[in-house]
Each structure stands twice: as C-alpha cells, then as structure tokens.
Amino acid sequence: MRGFLASSIGVTCAAALALPLTPPALAATARPVPASEAATTARPGPQAGTPATTPAGRRVAEPYAAGSTQSLPLEPLTRNRATPSAPSSAEQGLPRRAVHHFSLVGVVWDDPTAELHGRVQVRTRDAGTGIWSGWQDVETHNADHAADPDTPERASGRVRGATAPLWVGDSDGVEIRVRSGAGHSAEQTPDARDLPAAPPLPSGLRLELVDPGEDDGASSGEEDESRAGDPNAETSALTEASTANDDLAPLGATEIAALSRARTGQEYLALDPGGLTERQRQAKPYVGPRPGIVTRRGWGANEGLRESGFRYTKKVKAAFVHHTASGNNYRCSQVPSLIRSIYRYHVKSMGWRDIGYNFLIDKCGKIYEGRAGGVAKPVLGAHTLGFNSNSMGIAVLGSYGATKPSKSAVKAIARLTAWKLGLYRVNPKGKTYLKSAGSNLHRKGKKVRLNVISGHRDGFKTECPGRKLYGKLGSARSKAARYQGR
C-alpha cells in the first residue's frame, strides 16, 4: 500500500509540475531550487480578490506540501505608488499579496559576510480570521549566529546572509518593506544633499516564508538533495539521530526522562565523557540531576533536511545563552512547530548543515534537543561566531530585549547547564578560557577569559541574548551551582 501511494503521488506530482504554474515574470527572477522543492518554493499563491480569498476557500485552493519554504525575490519599491518615480536601490519589498500558508518569515541574501544596515518590516494576514497585522520589525543583525570561520560548514558555498526569523503564526498573506539606513529618500528632506548616502542593501534579497508542517516530514515529499533517490534515506536519518542518544533513552524515544540526583550520578560514571581518573571516580560528582529533554523525534524534525553525520568538538567548557529574537507571540503548545520552522530556516534558507543551537528552551521551561549528535556529547554547533568550539549554545525561544524571561525559562537554563556542564566537570559559577576563531569583539587566536555560563554578547558585539535575559544569567549560574551540590 505504501509503495502504491508513493508511486501515485510521484505520478501526480510529475503531472502537476508539467503545468505552467509559475508566471514568466516570477520564473525569471526566482533562484534555482531542487526539483523536490520546485512545486512549493516559488509558486505564487491565490491572488487577492479571487473567489478563493475566504479562509476555507484558500485552504482548498492551495495544493502545497506541508513543511515547505516559499522563497520570493524582493523588488525595488517606488516612493509613491500614485505617482511612480525611479525605483530606489535603498528600498525593496513586495506589495500585499496572498501566498500559501506559512508561520515564520525571514529575509536572506547572497553574501553571508554582508550586513543589512537598515530596517525590515512585515505585515501578515491571519489564515483563520483574514485580519492583517500591523507592521512588525524583523531583527536584522543575525550574522553573529553562525559557524566559525574556516570550518567546512561555513565554507560549504551554501551559506547565505540572513535576518533572524520571526514567528507570525498560521498566515496566508504578506507584505514586506526593507529600507536601507534610516529609510529616508532624497526627496523627503530639503537638505538631502548634506546627508550621507544610505548604505546599499545586500544583493539577492529574498523573502522566506516557512511552513513547519505537521510531523517529521516523512510525508512532505521533500528530501535533502544529497539523499534524494534513496528510499531508505529518511529511515536511516531518523535512526542515526535517535541512536546518538541510545545510552540515555530507548531508540525512537520522543523524550529523555528526567533523573534523580542519585541516578544521574550513576549515569555520570557510566557515560564517562571525558575519561575519568580513579581519583575522580572516587570523588563526589558535582553534576546536576538530568532534566527531561524533548528529543528531535519529539518535536518532529525532518531528518532528511540536515546534512548526514555529526560533527563534534573536544569538550564542553562553556555555555552561551541566546535568544532567538523570533518574537514572544507563541503558545507553548506551538513550540514543536516553531522549532521545526527555525530548523528549516537555518538549513534550507541560510544553508547550514543543521539547526544552529545545541538546545532550545521555551517560556514554559521545557528543554528541547537542538543540533543532532547526542545531548550528552560535545556536538559542534553554529550559535556563537568565533566560539563554537568547546562550548554549547542554548537558545531561549523569544525576544528578551524589553521583555523579562519567565522564571521557568531561567530555571531550565540552570537545570540544563548544571547537568551538561557537570558531565564535563565544570563549575557553572566559574571562569574558563576559550580560543577565539575570530569575531568582531575578539581577534582570531586570542585566549579569552569568560564566565562558564556566558551571554552571546560576551563573545561577539551583539544585543543577544537581550538585555532582560542577560541580566538573569547571574541567577542562572547560582542556581546551576546549587543543583550540582556546590
């Protein structure tokens, strides 16, 4: 039955792809995409004003694959639509339009080293009510979340520059504007000749609209190009990711259960991640009780998206705390969808090998496995440019520049770091040295003294993890040390 369905779907998709679904104007500007994405990436949605503009009608009219990315090239915007003038290279966007369903937005561009100096704003239409939101800002400074320079992941040729992603919930309409600098044009100010020219926007700006799908992606019809054509690729990838945690949970588990302090101490001796001496085996282990952790299987990761295999660093000497800057307008029940969206954005839109963070924490205090490779192992992430080696990255879902993080989230940071740092015999209240791979704050090769639990801004000049969350890290350090029994 499964083979018959797969064959039927394949025939149907082949027939659908043969139809002229994409207007010539869009086809000329859309970047090339794999055949597996072609039907869902750049195909336009129903046009506003057509009979399919009611929520129910739009659902029926959209033959899109759940778990997909629409990638739309931005266009120069005229300054006054009523009296069009020459388009400005300092302002790009897209007018209001209907599109296929999506829940997360972001903007990408060709050069990962280029910065977007300006403002990105979006408006979206709620798929359930048909109501348009007001303008929402998208965080533009995101280059500090990345793989280290000179690593295979950074040098893959697939990496793009990008904004932070913004969670907007189930939507089916969008409008976007990207303005360079302060966003003012020469005609808008009488003394414009005395003002410095606005910096140019990066080339190849595209709007990414991400639909998270419903499950692990096995039915989405999309596979990573490197695994296409292999009928066992998805099963193999799922097994690979689950096996990485087989010393902590049964194969295929959706959650790694919390342990008591006594059982965690026994596990610590069994795992032996860094090689214990006899003296260390006899000493009291300063490791916090293992917290419950939702696995990649638990949040529905499509393992066919990521690059196969795992990459490890030597040890875990420090934890960098981040915020995702994706907004706080999410319910905890939506978190699996939110993480699937960030995962897809990191891999398919930004060109990374996997989601960048090692762990994610929601505002209800639940902990989620991030980059594949095993939660107890020193998985090499792409979270703190210049300091990914010998560290781990923890991202609290949300934006915490002006909003206080929940007590549950701060407690989860403490519980997670008390356990994971304890496995590597590290004191959460201590200091450590990491060698910089190069950042805008610390030159390449410099040995930098850092708090064991640091904020992203300690390794890179950035606002991350937001002023309010950064201010809670002292509390997290103290709690983590107490959980370790110090």
Side-chain angles (χ1 to χ4, degrees):
M1 182 66 179
R2 185 182 180 93
F4 173 77
L5 287 173
S7 301
S8 302
I9 292 170
V11 171
T12 304
C13 290
L17 289 171
L19 298 175
L21 293 170
T22 306
L26 183 57
T29 54
R31 63 174 170 85
V33 294
S36 58
E37 284 187 84
T40 59
T41 300
R43 187 170 62 204
Q47 299 300 307
T50 65
T53 53
T54 65
R58 285 193 294 270
R59 272 290 189 194
V60 173
E62 297 173 4
Y64 73 103
S68 59
T69 302
Q70 300 168 76
S71 184
L72 308 176
L74 301 192
E75 305 164 352
L77 295 178
T78 56
R79 298 175 182 82
N80 189 330
R81 292 179 190 164
T83 57
S85 61
S88 169
S89 61
E91 186 172 1
Q92 296 185 35
L94 291 172
R96 185 182 297 193
R97 62 179 59 194
V99 293
H100 296 313
H101 284 248
F102 67 96
S103 296
L104 179 139
V105 305
V107 173
V108 300
W109 53 90
D110 296 336
D111 184 359
T113 65
E115 295 185 33
L116 196 164
H117 297 285
R119 191 176 189 183
V120 177
Q121 293 181 299
V122 296
R123 300 181 64 201
T124 56
R125 182 174 63 188
D126 187 291
T129 65
I131 297 174
W132 284 86
S133 72
W135 287 106
Q136 301 181 75
D137 286 302
V138 179
E139 174 59 57
T140 59
H141 300 294
N142 194 50
D144 45 332
H145 298 77
D148 287 341
D150 304 322
T151 58
E153 183 171 6
R154 183 74 174 183
S156 67
R158 300 188 302 270
V159 180
R160 305 182 189 94
T163 67
L166 177 68
W167 176 259
V168 294
D170 189 18
S171 306
D172 61 3
V174 69
E175 180 178 7
I176 182 170
R177 61 191 184 197
V178 180
R179 293 173 175 172
S180 177
H184 298 299
S185 64
E187 289 99 3
Q188 290 174 314
T189 57
D191 300 321
R193 286 176 294 182
D194 298 328
L195 297 176
L201 293 172
S203 63
L205 290 172
R206 305 185 69 88
L207 173 64
E208 304 287 291
L209 305 175
V210 181
D211 175 73
E214 299 296 333
D215 49 32
D216 67 359
S219 62
S220 70
E222 179 180 329
E223 293 178 349
D224 183 73
E225 302 91 279
S226 63
R227 307 185 193 190
D230 181 357
N232 298 315
E234 182 67 18
T235 300
S236 175
L238 284 166
T239 302
E240 179 186 52
S242 186
T243 302
N245 291 312
D246 62 1
D247 46 3
L248 305 179
L251 191 67
T254 59
E255 185 167 0
I256 297 169
L259 293 182
S260 66
R261 180 185 295 278
R263 289 191 61 192
T264 300
Q266 295 170 2
E267 177 188 75
Y268 164 78
L269 295 175
L271 288 173
D272 192 13
L276 298 175
T277 65
E278 185 59 31
R279 183 177 179 180
Q280 288 170 334
R281 284 182 172 278
Q282 298 301 323
K284 175 185 175 182
Y286 289 104
V287 56
R290 188 181 77 191
I293 302 171
V294 178
T295 65
R296 291 170 64 90
R297 185 69 175 266
W299 54 261
N302 177 354
E303 299 295 351
L305 290 181
R306 65 175 174 83
E307 190 176 301
S308 61
F310 310 129
R311 301 290 182 271
Y312 296 102
T313 185
K314 292 180 180 179
K315 61 184 72 174
V316 178
K317 297 172 62 178
F320 285 99
V321 177
H322 306 256
H323 68 168
T324 56
S326 51
N328 302 313
N329 190 27
Y330 69 88
R331 300 186 303 274
C332 291
S333 61
Q334 296 176 310
V335 168
S337 293
L338 173 53
I339 297 177
R340 288 198 302 272
S341 297
I342 294 174
Y343 170 44
R344 177 174 285 274
Y345 185 69
H346 281 183
V347 175
K348 305 302 288 186
S349 299
M350 297 179 66
W352 295 359
R353 71 183 317 273
D354 194 351
I355 193 170
Y357 308 111
N358 297 104
F359 297 93
L360 301 100
I361 294 173
D362 68 23
K363 58 190 174 184
C364 292
K366 185 168 285 190
I367 302 168
Y368 300 81
E369 178 184 14
R371 181 163 288 207
V375 296
K377 299 173 184 176
V379 178
L380 180 64
H383 48 82
T384 307
L385 181 63
F387 292 96
N388 290 305
S389 292
N390 296 331
S391 71
M392 67 175 180
I394 302 169
V396 181
L397 294 163
S399 302
Y400 298 101
T403 301
K404 289 183 180 180
S406 68
K407 292 181 179 178
S408 297
V410 176
K411 182 179 179 181
I413 294 172
R415 293 177 64 224
L416 175 59
T417 53
W419 172 70
K420 183 67 179 276
L421 292 171
L423 294 180
Y424 293 86
R425 299 176 295 285
V426 177
N427 184 346
K429 291 185 70 175
K431 304 281 186 178
T432 191
Y433 283 90
L434 292 179
K435 186 177 180 180
S436 173
S439 76
N440 64 359
L441 197 57
H442 302 289
R443 61 175 174 78
K444 182 177 181 179
K446 180 181 179 181
K447 291 185 178 180
V448 183
R449 189 169 186 259
L450 296 161
N451 286 311
V452 165
I453 299 178
S454 284
H456 188 180
R457 62 174 64 183
D458 295 317
F460 198 99
K461 189 176 181 181
T462 175
E463 292 299 314
C464 184
R467 181 171 58 88
K468 295 291 188 178
L469 178 54
Y470 188 77
K472 294 295 183 180
L473 295 188
S475 174
R477 295 182 193 108
S478 298
K479 285 186 172 72
R482 288 199 297 271
Y483 286 134
Q484 285 189 346
R486 295 182 186 272

